Amino acid sequence: ISITAFRKEGSEFKRQKIEDVEIIATNPFLDLALLRAKPPEGYTPVVTYLADGDEIRDGDPVFAIGNPLGFERSVSEGIVSRRSRADGGIAYIQTTTQINPGNSGGPLFDARGQVIGVTNMKIMGGEGLGFAIPVRYVIDFLKNREAFAYNSESSDAGYRYVQPAARQKTSPPAALKKN
């Protein structure tokens, strides 16, 4: 397991891979994991705040940051379609924000830049049907992380690894290029 961070140096962002990463807890029911990373010398992570999950409303603007389909440091925006959409016994945030391999598993932010959820799935064959785990579930997971403590010796640890999207090494399709 490694973490890719982008460190601002002047007006540019330098890609940096952090390999000293440890799994602390996993929640197989919500597909969440808590990781501990030892940042490199001189690196200070940016603080991200968790919102009060009950403040979001249908129609609120939201955005996701990630690497969809390997396009690094991409932002997609949308709105909250439904703040509470039930699926499989869990109430998700439904959003029109585009969720694709590479930005799923990342934060869903509100207009104030606070995390309101963790993006985790989309409906295949439908556009603008993305879903996020509400931050209230994330906070509960963090508060009770001892109950989900990771144990590499146990088959009940609930972890599984999904291959990340491949990084795009080609230029965008001609339809996306500016003329």
Side-chain angles (χ1 to χ4, degrees):
I1 294 178
S2 64
I3 295 173
T4 300
F6 292 91
R7 188 180 197 168
K8 190 165 186 177
E9 292 183 0
S11 62
E12 299 290 320
F13 284 93
K14 179 182 175 187
R15 184 180 214 271
Q16 191 162 20
K17 192 172 189 177
I18 301 170
E19 302 215 22
D20 192 358
V21 179
E22 168 186 10
I23 302 171
I24 302 300
T26 60
N27 183 327
F29 307 106
L30 295 175
D31 196 21
L32 292 173
L34 177 61
L35 306 176
R36 177 182 297 139
K38 182 177 179 191
E41 185 81 24
Y43 179 79
T44 305
V46 175
V47 174
T48 303
Y49 295 95
L50 303 179
D52 177 359
D54 294 329
E55 291 181 8
I56 63 168
R57 295 183 311 240
D58 295 353
D60 282 353
V62 292
F63 65 97
I65 300 174
N67 303 324
L69 303 176
F71 290 101
E72 292 182 334
R73 298 178 28 235
S74 294
V75 177
S76 59
E77 66 178 341
I79 63 166
V80 173
S81 298
R82 290 288 306 258
R83 74 181 281 254
S84 188
R85 174 73 70 189
D87 183 58
I90 298 172
Y92 292 96
I93 299 169
Q94 180 184 338
T95 178
T96 61
T97 307
Q98 296 299 312
I99 308 300
N100 294 290
N103 71 346
S104 63
L108 182 67
F109 294 97
D110 64 13
R112 295 175 55 196
Q114 298 178 32
V115 176
I116 63 163
V118 176
T119 62
N120 71 324
M121 66 178 170
K122 70 180 234 174
I123 302 296
M124 299 303 289
E127 296 300 320
L129 290 170
F131 297 88
I133 299 163
V135 73
R136 67 182 176 274
Y137 293 156
V138 176
I139 291 169
D140 187 57
F141 169 58
L142 294 173
K143 284 181 179 177
N144 297 291
R145 64 182 167 266
E146 296 83 20
F148 300 99
Y150 174 74
N151 178 355
S152 64
E153 303 297 318
S154 170
S155 62
D156 293 330
Y159 66 93
R160 66 183 173 93
Y161 299 103
V162 178
Q163 190 69 2
R167 184 172 180 206
Q168 295 288 334
K169 295 183 181 184
T170 60
S171 59
L176 298 178
K177 290 183 182 177
K178 291 184 179 180
N179 292 328

